[in-house]
Amino acid sequence: MTSSDGSAHNVALVGFMGSGKSAVGKALAELTGTRCVDTDSAVEEEAGIPIATIFERQGEARFRALERRVVRWATGLRNTVISLGGGALLDSRNLANLRESCLIVWLRARPETLLARLEQDHASANRPLFNGHCDPESFAQFVRERSVQYAQAHAVLDIDDLTPVQAAQRLREIWKRKSPASPGVRGALGAGVNSTGGVRVEVPVDVSGGKYSVLIGSGLVDVAGRLRPGGRPVSDLGARALVVSSCSVAALFGAPLETSLEAAGLHCGRLRVPDGEGAKSLSVLGDLCERAAERGFGRDTVVFALGGGTVGDVVGIFASTYMRGVPLVQVPTTLLSMVDSSVGGKTAVNLRAGKNLMGTFYQPSAVICDVATLGTLPVREVRNGLAEVVKSAVIGDPSLFEFIEARAASLDSDDPYAVCSLVDDETSAVRIVSASLGVKIPIVQDDVADRGTRMLLNLGHTLGHAVEREGRYRQWTHGEAVSIGLAAACRASRDLGMMPAREADRVIALLERLGLPVSLERRRFRSPEMKARLAAHMGLDKKALTGRFRIVLLRGIGRCTVSEDHPPTVLIDAAEGLAQESAGKRGGARN
């Protein structure tokens, strides 16, 4: 094997066995007119015997050594699709070589999809690591363990419902948009590239809890230690830094953030919390406090909340209470957390009775929004954030609504991943985040304690939180539930004669165009018990005051109002009407 000169714009496919890396790699190479290298096949060619025989006779260590040699050779090629073995990223040297010349894409699939494929694949008998993992529970655990390594990819492609050709077509578009030469991709990976160019916006926040700045741009995680939000170096906030994140996010961005902070003179420690809503519990909060104390972190500590909204919420309440309060820097890595939860000072954990019922108002010392991190989000998470973007636009920025509406109209309706293009472009992403915050920040500054005008930001959330709880925080993401609540608020406002029907229809149509749900299934509303549960969930809404129910309704796009004149049933009735309309559309389509 000989290496060509210099690095190149290659794409490397990673993922668990059964994810179709070989088939997708070949299809992608045919579509793009490039070569394809399958590292497992190359190892067998190098060794002259099958991989199963290498494991049996020489052991896994020998296989990994051969694999490392093949990866080093393949990453020296140009314009090449590289399909990697399932365990290739276990070796940090492989990852380092891949980062130099490759766009790394994780072909992700659910464990049940992978197991079904492997059981149908006669060749799986020759997979040395497959035996012993056929039990669904242990197999799923094995997949989760490997996923920590795969999360270090630049981008994720969910392939459960895609053929190899369909996956290749989507990959071709990702490859076009995310060249490894682009600082945005390297910044998203967190490989230590100091990407300081491109669009950067600084938005000041001045509230009674303190003044701070929100920095929005690409590649900011890699240079966090050198940033000066509000003119004050991040490194001046404390003598020690404590980076709190989930394992999956830390695998992507933890190392570059910590490296940058260490370079600025901050001694770094790290703590991990669970992914998702499981992070927002009293037990996780208590565990954070106990572990921080055990490790000797004192009042000279600045806490960095690295991750999405759930991480920001629990780490925020931790920073607000630990040692009676230590400085907090929010580093949101999802669209939802950038445009909503990281700014404004709300912190919270969930109680059994409902969502976000225990928390504090605690303003961060800075917020760092690195839009390059958005390139690593799966499509459902992009939509999750876009629901809050649409909500912000409907509350107070018709021009943002029109921008999203125009971009959505040009999306390929046959490509479920096309919506990601709204945040893949750095300029577009910065505009969306800054414009959304341009709606939120003035409202927060006017009513930091959430007693008056800040309730406008609850648009879609009253029913949305009830829907989340009805689905036990597993069936719908927060953004999906807010989308259902926002659509119901539009329908209710239209039916009450408050909002022009044309504008209500525009909002609902945009949500649907973005791939967001606008109703529950019709069959759910046939149950009086379900309606009663939704009403009870909404009765616990934090916006209720002295027994009076308050909801946010609309007068038009950009004009909202808080109403105390209507019961929660107006939202439930509106949601039922939308469900009936949706069922009628589906029936018409079948006919």
Side-chain angles (χ1 to χ4, degrees):
M1 298 178 180
T2 59
S3 172
S4 68
D5 56 344
S7 61
H9 295 176
N10 303 326
V11 62
L13 306 182
V14 301
F16 203 81
M17 52 183 152
S19 58
K21 298 183 296 294
S22 297
V24 173
K26 290 177 182 177
L28 179 59
E30 290 177 3
L31 277 175
T32 56
T34 56
R35 85 178 82 192
C36 180
V37 171
D38 184 301
T39 60
D40 279 353
S41 297
V43 165
E44 291 186 332
E45 180 183 344
E46 182 86 355
I49 53 176
I51 289 175
T53 306
I54 298 173
F55 269 75
E56 180 183 352
R57 297 179 183 176
Q58 301 171 350
E60 183 178 359
R62 173 58 178 164
F63 168 75
R64 296 301 175 194
L66 289 168
E67 182 181 56
R68 189 161 55 247
R69 180 177 172 184
V70 166
V71 169
R72 186 168 60 249
W73 161 74
T75 53
L77 300 173
R78 300 179 63 85
N79 299 321
T80 301
V81 179
I82 305 172
S83 300
L84 293 145
L89 294 192
L90 294 171
D91 191 320
S92 61
R93 288 164 290 189
N94 287 340
L95 182 60
N97 283 325
L98 291 163
R99 282 176 171 171
E100 288 302 314
S101 65
C102 297
L103 169 69
I104 309 173
V105 182
W106 174 15
L107 301 187
R108 184 171 62 182
R110 294 185 294 269
E112 53 268 32
T113 300
L114 296 169
L115 185 57
R117 289 183 179 182
L118 289 169
E119 288 176 339
Q120 294 173 4
D121 181 9
H122 297 296
S124 64
N126 295 320
R127 298 178 186 266
L129 297 181
F130 179 58
N131 294 331
H133 294 284
C134 295
D135 171 76
E137 185 174 343
S138 58
F139 181 82
Q141 178 60 32
F142 192 25
V143 172
R144 286 192 292 269
E145 291 171 358
R146 283 287 177 87
S147 295
V148 174
Q149 278 75 44
Y150 303 145
Q152 298 175 88
H154 297 103
V156 180
L157 179 61
D158 290 310
I159 48 83
D160 293 274
D161 301 318
L162 299 179
T163 66
V165 172
Q166 290 171 331
Q169 290 170 339
R170 174 59 184 157
L171 282 169
R172 179 175 56 181
E173 297 306 310
I174 294 174
W175 197 358
K176 286 180 182 178
R177 292 197 305 266
K178 297 175 179 250
S179 165
S182 164
V185 171
R186 297 303 301 275
L189 177 64
V193 175
N194 293 330
S195 173
T196 57
V199 181
R200 183 179 296 183
V201 174
E202 181 165 358
V203 183
V205 183
D206 187 356
V207 294
S208 59
K211 297 181 180 181
Y212 58 97
S213 286
V214 183
L215 295 180
I216 309 164
S218 181
L220 301 186
V221 166
D222 295 336
V223 295
R226 302 207 310 265
L227 296 177
R228 299 174 63 89
R232 182 184 183 185
V234 169
S235 56
D236 283 358
L237 294 175
R240 304 179 69 186
L242 180 58
V243 178
V244 187
S245 185
S246 67
C247 289
S248 59
V249 174
L252 282 167
F253 312 115
L257 176 60
E258 292 173 18
T259 298
S260 179
L261 297 176
E262 291 273 7
L266 289 171
H267 173 70
C268 283
R270 65 182 69 92
L271 293 174
R272 300 289 178 257
V273 297
D275 283 303
E277 286 291 327
K280 293 174 57 174
S281 71
L282 289 172
S283 61
V284 171
L285 173 61
D287 187 55
L288 281 175
C289 294
E290 293 288 357
R291 287 188 287 160
E294 289 171 359
R295 300 183 187 187
F297 285 94
R299 300 201 68 187
D300 62 345
T301 302
V302 53
V303 174
F304 287 79
L306 175 66
T310 57
V311 171
D313 278 357
V314 70
V315 178
I317 192 172
F318 161 68
S320 73
T321 55
Y322 184 70
M323 296 286 173
R324 295 193 174 92
V326 294
L328 168 68
V329 176
Q330 291 277 7
V331 189
T333 59
T334 65
L335 181 60
L336 179 64
S337 56
M338 288 184 190
V339 302
D340 186 45
S341 60
S342 65
V343 175
K346 282 187 177 180
T347 78
V349 292
N350 301 330
L351 301 180
R352 285 192 297 270
K355 184 175 172 123
N356 296 337
L357 293 184
M358 177 179 169
T360 61
F361 289 98
Y362 190 71
Q363 301 298 332
S365 298
V367 180
I368 300 171
C369 298
D370 185 346
V371 298
T373 64
L374 303 180
T376 68
L377 298 178
V379 63
R380 190 180 186 189
E381 187 57 46
V382 172
R383 293 192 178 109
N384 191 35
L386 286 172
E388 287 284 356
V389 172
V390 174
K391 180 209 77 172
S392 296
V394 170
I395 290 172
D397 192 342
S399 64
L400 174 61
F401 185 91
E402 291 170 0
F403 175 75
I404 299 295
E405 190 177 44
R407 294 290 300 271
S410 65
L411 298 178
D412 182 356
S413 59
D414 294 327
D415 182 1
Y417 300 93
V419 71
C420 296
S421 65
L422 272 67
V423 295
D424 278 346
D425 174 71
E426 176 186 339
T427 302
S428 175
V430 170
R431 176 175 179 179
I432 287 172
V433 174
S434 59
S436 298
L437 293 179
V439 173
K440 178 170 186 173
I441 289 173
I443 293 174
V444 170
Q445 291 177 153
D446 184 59
D447 179 25
V448 67
D450 204 7
R451 300 291 183 184
T453 56
R454 188 167 180 172
M455 294 178 192
L456 292 173
L457 298 175
N458 203 48
L459 175 64
H461 285 62
T462 302
L463 178 60
H465 282 167
V467 167
E468 280 188 276
R469 189 174 179 204
E470 182 68 15
R472 299 182 179 181
Y473 303 108
R474 292 193 297 268
Q475 186 167 355
W476 294 281
T477 67
H478 175 70
E480 289 166 349
V482 167
S483 178
I484 293 170
L486 175 56
C490 288
R491 169 71 180 257
S493 300
R494 184 200 74 181
D495 293 347
L496 292 167
M498 298 173 60
M499 184 182 194
R502 184 181 67 84
E503 293 202 6
D505 292 343
R506 279 179 68 193
V507 176
I508 294 170
L510 178 57
L511 294 171
E512 291 182 309
R513 183 67 176 167
L514 294 173
L516 287 159
V518 296
S519 70
L520 301 171
E521 297 87 347
R522 184 182 180 184
R523 61 180 176 80
R524 292 177 178 272
F525 290 97
R526 295 174 180 169
S527 164
E529 292 79 12
M530 191 280 292
K531 293 183 183 180
R533 287 196 304 272
L534 283 176
H537 298 333
M538 287 191 284
L540 281 172
D541 188 89
K542 299 181 293 303
K543 304 301 180 291
L545 182 65
T546 61
R548 302 187 69 179
F549 186 79
R550 297 185 289 181
I551 57 176
V552 184
L553 297 173
L554 302 95
R555 300 193 182 279
I557 296 173
R559 295 179 296 130
C560 297
T561 184
V562 178
S563 172
E564 297 182 1
D565 300 328
H566 304 285
T569 51
V570 300
L571 294 177
I572 297 174
D573 291 344
E576 184 174 12
L578 286 166
Q580 291 172 348
E581 287 183 4
S582 178
K585 290 178 183 177
R586 290 195 299 271
R590 283 194 297 268
N591 293 334

